[in-house]
Amino acid sequence: MQGASVLFSEMTPPAGQEQRFHNWYDEEHIPLRMDVPGFVSAQRYRDLADDAKGFLAVYEMTDPGVMKTPAYQEVKTKPSETTREMLSTVLGFTRYIAAETSVRRQPNERGISAIDAPLLYAVWFEVPESAQADFDAWYELDHVPHLMGCKDWLMVRRFRVIDGEPTSANRLALHYLGDRSALDSPERATARKTPWRERLAALPWFSGRYSLFERLGARQIGCLR
């Protein structure tokens, strides 16, 4: 169910069209992509920000090149009338292609599959090239180990953003949480106060974007051929 790269896509349906949007997404938009070789699975989420009305889909892929294959281009360039209409009316559109650079999993003590965690916490950064080695080392060697001290921090996946819009973020971390209380845990508080993080936080570019999502519906599985 987990690939080496992801397509991260957000959309907000027009007012009064939410159920129609869900039907289209679940019955047409995702299934068409699951038939494309290289698409491993897809999971939808609901944005939990105050007053948010948007939805996220995270597509697991074998590699970023899947987006350039003839099979995917056939799906993308020949949409149905329903797809044309829906894509012309949605708001809050984001689309990022990212390659996984690392993954850290919590021991599965409670029988929870980390990738199907009930909550997904997405963290974005735009890191200058000159600071990327330091930033990546901090995240891997300092930040993630502290977070994983919390048993509800089930998995952390880090990605290099290859392409996307609307922002120019180049680092993405997906945190899979067993419970919302993990965000208020002592382990996270410690992770945000280390000397290494405080040094980076003083730099002008260190300004992350944070979003919390709730898992929505069942994961759809690709053809795996």
Side-chain angles (χ1 to χ4, degrees):
M1 295 191 298
Q2 188 168 324
S5 63
V6 296
L7 169 61
F8 183 104
S9 180
E10 295 170 280
M11 298 183 196
T12 301
Q17 294 292 313
E18 184 173 302
Q19 189 56 55
R20 184 164 179 250
F21 172 82
H22 290 321
N23 293 342
W24 163 72
Y25 221 109
D26 291 335
E27 298 171 9
E28 178 178 332
H29 195 66
I30 289 180
L32 283 173
R33 282 148 182 80
M34 292 301 97
D35 282 338
V36 173
F39 274 85
V40 178
S41 71
Q43 179 63 58
R44 297 187 63 211
Y45 299 88
R46 183 190 308 275
D47 192 335
L48 291 181
D50 291 343
D51 300 323
K53 298 179 181 179
F55 299 89
L56 162 70
V58 177
Y59 297 87
E60 300 284 338
M61 302 181 295
T62 54
D63 65 81
V66 171
M67 306 293 292
K68 297 181 179 180
T69 62
Y72 178 73
Q73 291 301 313
E74 178 79 8
V75 170
K76 181 180 178 182
T77 60
K78 297 181 179 180
S80 68
E81 287 303 316
T82 301
T83 292
R84 290 181 190 275
E85 179 190 351
M86 295 303 299
L87 292 179
S88 69
T89 59
V90 296
L91 305 172
F93 180 77
T94 73
R95 181 177 181 275
Y96 296 93
I97 303 168
E100 188 180 86
T101 56
S102 70
V103 58
R104 183 84 64 90
R105 295 179 179 85
Q106 189 76 235
N108 198 7
E109 298 174 352
R110 297 180 301 167
I112 296 175
S113 175
I115 196 171
D116 284 329
L119 298 170
L120 181 69
Y121 186 53
V123 179
W124 304 85
F125 274 92
E126 183 177 354
V127 186
E129 185 175 356
S130 60
Q132 287 174 7
D134 190 25
F135 177 87
D136 291 339
W138 159 69
Y139 221 105
E140 293 291 338
L141 303 177
D142 185 64
H143 197 57
V144 172
H146 283 295
L147 295 175
M148 297 300 288
C150 173
K151 296 302 183 182
D152 279 310
W153 221 282
L154 303 179
M155 180 167 65
V156 179
R157 302 170 70 191
R158 297 194 61 237
F159 297 85
R160 173 176 55 88
V161 179
I162 296 172
D163 187 28
E165 56 180 316
T167 74
S168 54
N170 53 23
R171 293 293 186 271
L172 165 64
L174 295 181
H175 301 261
Y176 296 77
L177 308 180
D179 191 87
R180 193 166 186 165
S181 62
L183 295 173
D184 298 316
S185 65
E187 292 83 4
R188 185 180 184 231
T190 298
R192 293 173 61 83
K193 293 181 180 179
T194 67
W196 200 342
R197 194 217 187 247
E198 289 183 345
R199 174 174 61 79
L200 289 174
L203 300 175
W205 56 264
F206 194 91
S207 178
R209 179 165 65 90
Y210 307 86
S211 299
L212 182 63
F213 302 92
E214 178 182 46
R215 183 164 53 88
L216 179 67
R219 177 175 298 275
Q220 294 197 36
I221 307 300
C223 62
L224 300 179
R225 64 179 185 268

